[in-house]
PDB file of all heavy atoms in Angstrom:
ATOM      1  N   GLY U  49       7.346  11.936  24.567  1.00 97.00           N
ATOM      2  CA  GLY U  49       6.746  12.832  23.589  1.00 97.00           C
ATOM      3  C   GLY U  49       5.505  12.231  22.967  1.00 97.00           C
ATOM      4  O   GLY U  49       5.382  11.001  22.887  1.00 97.00           O
ATOM      5  N   VAL U  50       4.562  13.091  22.566  1.00 97.00           N
ATOM      6  CA  VAL U  50       3.364  12.645  21.856  1.00 97.00           C
ATOM      7  C   VAL U  50       3.249  13.466  20.579  1.00 97.00           C
ATOM      8  O   VAL U  50       3.574  14.652  20.548  1.00 97.00           O
ATOM      9  CB  VAL U  50       2.081  12.792  22.705  1.00 97.00           C
ATOM     10  CG1 VAL U  50       2.107  11.842  23.888  1.00 97.00           C
ATOM     11  CG2 VAL U  50       1.885  14.213  23.175  1.00 97.00           C
ATOM     12  N   ALA U  51       2.769  12.813  19.508  1.00 97.00           N
ATOM     13  CA  ALA U  51       2.674  13.461  18.196  1.00 97.00           C
ATOM     14  C   ALA U  51       1.271  13.293  17.641  1.00 97.00           C
ATOM     15  O   ALA U  51       0.637  12.250  17.829  1.00 97.00           O
ATOM     16  CB  ALA U  51       3.697  12.868  17.235  1.00 97.00           C
ATOM     17  N   ALA U  52       0.801  14.320  16.927  1.00 96.00           N
ATOM     18  CA  ALA U  52      -0.521  14.281  16.321  1.00 96.00           C
ATOM     19  C   ALA U  52      -0.462  14.097  14.815  1.00 96.00           C
ATOM     20  O   ALA U  52      -1.497  14.007  14.156  1.00 96.00           O
ATOM     21  CB  ALA U  52      -1.285  15.564  16.654  1.00 96.00           C
ATOM     22  N   SER U  53       0.758  14.030  14.261  1.00 95.00           N
ATOM     23  CA  SER U  53       0.924  13.896  12.812  1.00 95.00           C
ATOM     24  C   SER U  53       2.231  13.178  12.518  1.00 95.00           C
ATOM     25  O   SER U  53       3.134  13.117  13.373  1.00 95.00           O
ATOM     26  CB  SER U  53       0.944  15.277  12.146  1.00 95.00           C
ATOM     27  OG  SER U  53       2.150  15.957  12.467  1.00 95.00           O
ATOM     28  N   PRO U  54       2.370  12.645  11.307  1.00 95.00           N
ATOM     29  CA  PRO U  54       3.641  12.009  10.934  1.00 95.00           C
ATOM     30  C   PRO U  54       4.839  12.932  11.056  1.00 95.00           C
ATOM     31  O   PRO U  54       5.907  12.514  11.504  1.00 95.00           O
ATOM     32  CB  PRO U  54       3.386  11.574   9.488  1.00 95.00           C
ATOM     33  CG  PRO U  54       1.915  11.308   9.443  1.00 95.00           C
ATOM     34  CD  PRO U  54       1.317  12.404  10.289  1.00 95.00           C
ATOM     35  N   SER U  55       4.698  14.199  10.662  1.00 96.00           N
ATOM     36  CA  SER U  55       5.822  15.139  10.750  1.00 96.00           C
ATOM     37  C   SER U  55       6.256  15.346  12.193  1.00 96.00           C
ATOM     38  O   SER U  55       7.460  15.388  12.496  1.00 96.00           O
ATOM     39  CB  SER U  55       5.449  16.478  10.112  1.00 96.00           C
ATOM     40  OG  SER U  55       5.363  16.366   8.709  1.00 96.00           O
ATOM     41  N   GLU U  56       5.283  15.460  13.103  1.00 96.00           N
ATOM     42  CA  GLU U  56       5.606  15.612  14.520  1.00 96.00           C
ATOM     43  C   GLU U  56       6.285  14.351  15.048  1.00 96.00           C
ATOM     44  O   GLU U  56       7.227  14.427  15.853  1.00 96.00           O
ATOM     45  CB  GLU U  56       4.340  15.899  15.329  1.00 96.00           C
ATOM     46  CG  GLU U  56       3.754  17.277  15.096  1.00 96.00           C
ATOM     47  CD  GLU U  56       2.505  17.514  15.946  1.00 96.00           C
ATOM     48  OE1 GLU U  56       2.243  16.721  16.864  1.00 96.00           O
ATOM     49  OE2 GLU U  56       1.802  18.502  15.680  1.00 96.00           O
ATOM     50  N   LEU U  57       5.827  13.190  14.591  1.00 97.00           N
ATOM     51  CA  LEU U  57       6.418  11.929  15.021  1.00 97.00           C
ATOM     52  C   LEU U  57       7.881  11.830  14.584  1.00 97.00           C
ATOM     53  O   LEU U  57       8.762  11.475  15.380  1.00 97.00           O
ATOM     54  CB  LEU U  57       5.623  10.754  14.450  1.00 97.00           C
ATOM     55  CG  LEU U  57       6.219   9.354  14.641  1.00 97.00           C
ATOM     56  CD1 LEU U  57       6.456   9.052  16.113  1.00 97.00           C
ATOM     57  CD2 LEU U  57       5.298   8.303  14.010  1.00 97.00           C
ATOM     58  N   VAL U  58       8.156  12.134  13.334  1.00 97.00           N
ATOM     59  CA  VAL U  58       9.525  12.064  12.828  1.00 97.00           C
ATOM     60  C   VAL U  58      10.426  13.030  13.592  1.00 97.00           C
ATOM     61  O   VAL U  58      11.564  12.692  13.962  1.00 97.00           O
ATOM     62  CB  VAL U  58       9.557  12.359  11.316  1.00 97.00           C
ATOM     63  CG1 VAL U  58      10.999  12.529  10.829  1.00 97.00           C
ATOM     64  CG2 VAL U  58       8.857  11.254  10.540  1.00 97.00           C
ATOM     65  N   GLN U  59       9.930  14.233  13.865  1.00 97.00           N
ATOM     66  CA  GLN U  59      10.720  15.218  14.609  1.00 97.00           C
ATOM     67  C   GLN U  59      11.042  14.717  16.009  1.00 97.00           C
ATOM     68  O   GLN U  59      12.180  14.853  16.490  1.00 97.00           O
ATOM     69  CB  GLN U  59       9.956  16.546  14.695  1.00 97.00           C
ATOM     70  CG  GLN U  59      10.744  17.676  15.331  1.00 97.00           C
ATOM     71  CD  GLN U  59      11.989  18.046  14.545  1.00 97.00           C
ATOM     72  OE1 GLN U  59      12.014  17.947  13.317  1.00 97.00           O
ATOM     73  NE2 GLN U  59      13.040  18.465  15.248  1.00 97.00           N
ATOM     74  N   LEU U  60      10.073  14.102  16.674  1.00 97.00           N
ATOM     75  CA  LEU U  60      10.308  13.560  18.014  1.00 97.00           C
ATOM     76  C   LEU U  60      11.328  12.423  17.985  1.00 97.00           C
ATOM     77  O   LEU U  60      12.156  12.294  18.894  1.00 97.00           O
ATOM     78  CB  LEU U  60       8.995  13.070  18.624  1.00 97.00           C
ATOM     79  CG  LEU U  60       8.084  14.139  19.231  1.00 97.00           C
ATOM     80  CD1 LEU U  60       6.732  13.539  19.593  1.00 97.00           C
ATOM     81  CD2 LEU U  60       8.739  14.749  20.466  1.00 97.00           C
ATOM     82  N   CYS U  61      11.264  11.601  16.952  1.00 97.00           N
ATOM     83  CA  CYS U  61      12.236  10.513  16.830  1.00 97.00           C
ATOM     84  C   CYS U  61      13.644  11.069  16.682  1.00 97.00           C
ATOM     85  O   CYS U  61      14.604  10.518  17.245  1.00 97.00           O
ATOM     86  CB  CYS U  61      11.879   9.613  15.647  1.00 97.00           C
ATOM     87  SG  CYS U  61      10.443   8.553  15.919  1.00 97.00           S
ATOM     88  N   ARG U  62      13.776  12.152  15.945  1.00 97.00           N
ATOM     89  CA  ARG U  62      15.087  12.766  15.776  1.00 97.00           C
ATOM     90  C   ARG U  62      15.587  13.381  17.079  1.00 97.00           C
ATOM     91  O   ARG U  62      16.773  13.295  17.408  1.00 97.00           O
ATOM     92  CB  ARG U  62      15.016  13.840  14.690  1.00 97.00           C
ATOM     93  CG  ARG U  62      14.861  13.276  13.282  1.00 97.00           C
ATOM     94  CD  ARG U  62      14.629  14.368  12.265  1.00 97.00           C
ATOM     95  NE  ARG U  62      14.551  13.826  10.910  1.00 97.00           N
ATOM     96  CZ  ARG U  62      13.959  14.436   9.897  1.00 97.00           C
ATOM     97  NH1 ARG U  62      13.393  15.628  10.084  1.00 97.00           N
ATOM     98  NH2 ARG U  62      13.934  13.884   8.698  1.00 97.00           N
ATOM     99  N   GLU U  63      14.675  14.010  17.817  1.00 97.00           N
ATOM    100  CA  GLU U  63      15.068  14.710  19.039  1.00 97.00           C
ATOM    101  C   GLU U  63      15.275  13.763  20.219  1.00 97.00           C
ATOM    102  O   GLU U  63      16.186  13.951  21.030  1.00 97.00           O
ATOM    103  CB  GLU U  63      14.001  15.747  19.404  1.00 97.00           C
ATOM    104  CG  GLU U  63      13.867  16.885  18.407  1.00 97.00           C
ATOM    105  CD  GLU U  63      12.675  17.779  18.718  1.00 97.00           C
ATOM    106  OE1 GLU U  63      11.877  17.428  19.620  1.00 97.00           O
ATOM    107  OE2 GLU U  63      12.538  18.828  18.059  1.00 97.00           O
ATOM    108  N   GLN U  64      14.416  12.748  20.337  1.00 97.00           N
ATOM    109  CA  GLN U  64      14.401  11.919  21.539  1.00 97.00           C
ATOM    110  C   GLN U  64      15.068  10.553  21.378  1.00 97.00           C
ATOM    111  O   GLN U  64      15.380   9.907  22.372  1.00 97.00           O
ATOM    112  CB  GLN U  64      12.950  11.706  21.999  1.00 97.00           C
ATOM    113  CG  GLN U  64      12.205  12.979  22.359  1.00 97.00           C
ATOM    114  CD  GLN U  64      12.770  13.632  23.610  1.00 97.00           C
ATOM    115  OE1 GLN U  64      13.425  12.998  24.420  1.00 97.00           O
ATOM    116  NE2 GLN U  64      12.478  14.920  23.781  1.00 97.00           N
ATOM    117  N   ALA U  65      15.252  10.092  20.147  1.00 97.00           N
ATOM    118  CA  ALA U  65      15.798   8.752  19.902  1.00 97.00           C
ATOM    119  C   ALA U  65      15.107   7.720  20.789  1.00 97.00           C
ATOM    120  O   ALA U  65      15.754   7.043  21.600  1.00 97.00           O
ATOM    121  CB  ALA U  65      17.305   8.731  20.135  1.00 97.00           C
ATOM    122  N   PRO U  66      13.790   7.577  20.658  1.00 98.00           N
ATOM    123  CA  PRO U  66      13.056   6.676  21.553  1.00 98.00           C
ATOM    124  C   PRO U  66      13.412   5.214  21.329  1.00 98.00           C
ATOM    125  O   PRO U  66      13.862   4.825  20.246  1.00 98.00           O
ATOM    126  CB  PRO U  66      11.595   6.944  21.180  1.00 98.00           C
ATOM    127  CG  PRO U  66      11.649   7.390  19.751  1.00 98.00           C
ATOM    128  CD  PRO U  66      12.909   8.187  19.640  1.00 98.00           C
ATOM    129  N   ASP U  67      13.216   4.423  22.380  1.00 97.00           N
ATOM    130  CA  ASP U  67      13.408   2.985  22.266  1.00 97.00           C
ATOM    131  C   ASP U  67      12.225   2.339  21.548  1.00 97.00           C
ATOM    132  O   ASP U  67      12.388   1.366  20.815  1.00 97.00           O
ATOM    133  CB  ASP U  67      13.562   2.358  23.653  1.00 97.00           C
ATOM    134  CG  ASP U  67      14.735   2.946  24.409  1.00 97.00           C
ATOM    135  OD1 ASP U  67      15.875   2.725  23.974  1.00 97.00           O
ATOM    136  OD2 ASP U  67      14.500   3.648  25.419  1.00 97.00           O
ATOM    137  N   ILE U  68      11.029   2.892  21.797  1.00 98.00           N
ATOM    138  CA  ILE U  68       9.796   2.348  21.222  1.00 98.00           C
ATOM    139  C   ILE U  68       8.928   3.492  20.701  1.00 98.00           C
ATOM    140  O   ILE U  68       8.777   4.516  21.375  1.00 98.00           O
ATOM    141  CB  ILE U  68       9.003   1.535  22.267  1.00 98.00           C
ATOM    142  CG1 ILE U  68       9.805   0.319  22.739  1.00 98.00           C
ATOM    143  CG2 ILE U  68       7.647   1.084  21.707  1.00 98.00           C
ATOM    144  CD1 ILE U  68       9.153  -0.433  23.897  1.00 98.00           C
ATOM    145  N   VAL U  69       8.370   3.303  19.521  1.00 98.00           N
ATOM    146  CA  VAL U  69       7.349   4.209  18.986  1.00 98.00           C
ATOM    147  C   VAL U  69       6.034   3.440  18.917  1.00 98.00           C
ATOM    148  O   VAL U  69       5.998   2.324  18.384  1.00 98.00           O
ATOM    149  CB  VAL U  69       7.714   4.728  17.580  1.00 98.00           C
ATOM    150  CG1 VAL U  69       6.485   5.272  16.861  1.00 98.00           C
ATOM    151  CG2 VAL U  69       8.769   5.814  17.672  1.00 98.00           C
ATOM    152  N   ILE U  70       4.980   4.029  19.466  1.00 98.00           N
ATOM    153  CA  ILE U  70       3.637   3.474  19.328  1.00 98.00           C
ATOM    154  C   ILE U  70       2.873   4.414  18.408  1.00 98.00           C
ATOM    155  O   ILE U  70       2.636   5.577  18.752  1.00 98.00           O
ATOM    156  CB  ILE U  70       2.913   3.370  20.684  1.00 98.00           C
ATOM    157  CG1 ILE U  70       3.737   2.544  21.673  1.00 98.00           C
ATOM    158  CG2 ILE U  70       1.522   2.753  20.506  1.00 98.00           C
ATOM    159  CD1 ILE U  70       3.177   2.545  23.091  1.00 98.00           C
TER     160      ILE U  70
END
Side-chain angles (χ1 to χ4, degrees):
V50 293
S53 71
S55 289
E56 289 181 12
L57 172 57
V58 170
Q59 186 63 32
L60 280 171
C61 287
R62 289 173 177 158
E63 294 172 352
Q64 299 292 339
D67 301 293
I68 297 173
V69 161
I70 304 173

